[in-house]
Amino acid sequence: FRPCGCAWTAWHPNTLVLCATSVLSVACTLLPWLRSYLLFVCSLGVETGTAPAPAVTHEKVDRSTNTKIELYSLDDDTLEFVKVADGPLSDAMIRDDDVMLINAGTRVFVSVGNTAPKQEKAAAMLKASNFIFQNRMDPATPIIRVMKGQTVVGCPQWQQCFAAAA
């Protein structure tokens, strides 16, 4: 661009002070280019901005009436939960050298044994959330971590998992 040459334009080796006419000439040069660019983008059918992520749909499963209790063990090699037992559980079924998952329908309990391998302990909660997704459970299903020997107070679902076996 060229400055207008009026008295309000001053040249300095490090600074350039421009008058309003010079600023307007720059803006008038850029606006047609911006307009052309926007028309081009619109002609392609491309929307500017970010599109919202597609909604994830989950199969609706009514787990509130599910009284089936399932016990899973975290496999040492694959780090995947493998079904061990169905039905009422006993305290002896929860091993101290393993990470166990109890599917109580509306809640998932992850029992972490004191002598369980470190890699199982580290992967336990992530694998529990994967379990919920893979079994098409409600994504808001609570995952409750229980350390072996810990007393779970105020959670009737935990007691119901062991009540029938007693």
Side-chain angles (χ1 to χ4, degrees):
F1 75 94
R2 285 179 274 147
C4 69
C6 72
W8 293 102
T9 305
W11 291 90
H12 186 272
N14 297 329
T15 325
L16 174 64
V17 179
L18 300 175
C19 70
T21 307
S22 297
V23 172
L24 284 175
S25 69
V26 171
C28 291
T29 305
L30 292 178
L31 284 177
W33 177 85
L34 180 61
R35 182 178 179 273
S36 299
Y37 173 76
L38 291 174
L39 288 173
F40 172 73
V41 169
C42 291
S43 70
L44 294 176
V46 178
E47 293 182 21
T48 56
T50 57
V56 177
T57 57
H58 296 276
E59 180 181 317
K60 298 294 182 190
V61 178
D62 183 16
R63 299 268 182 185
S64 61
T65 58
N66 183 9
T67 57
K68 183 177 178 182
I69 299 167
E70 301 169 321
L71 178 65
Y72 294 83
S73 171
L74 192 59
D75 185 76
D76 294 337
D77 298 325
T78 63
L79 289 178
E80 296 296 328
F81 282 108
V82 179
K83 192 178 219 178
V84 175
D86 282 324
L89 307 176
S90 67
D91 287 332
M93 297 171 93
I94 308 298
R95 297 191 303 259
D96 194 38
D97 63 344
D98 201 359
V99 171
M100 311 288 286
L101 181 138
I102 301 169
N103 180 7
T106 58
R107 296 184 191 283
V108 170
F109 297 96
V110 177
S111 175
V112 180
N114 294 326
T115 59
K118 286 183 181 180
Q119 97 181 44
E120 282 189 21
K121 288 180 179 182
M125 298 306 281
L126 178 63
K127 291 299 180 175
S129 64
N130 288 348
F131 175 87
I132 288 173
F133 179 76
Q134 290 169 350
N135 288 289
R136 298 179 186 244
M137 296 172 71
D138 180 5
T141 301
I143 302 172
I144 302 166
R145 183 178 179 142
V146 180
M147 300 304 288
K148 178 70 173 147
Q150 179 182 5
T151 304
V152 180
V153 180
C155 187
Q157 288 86 0
W158 176 260
Q159 282 80 22
Q160 289 171 0
C161 293
F162 300 94

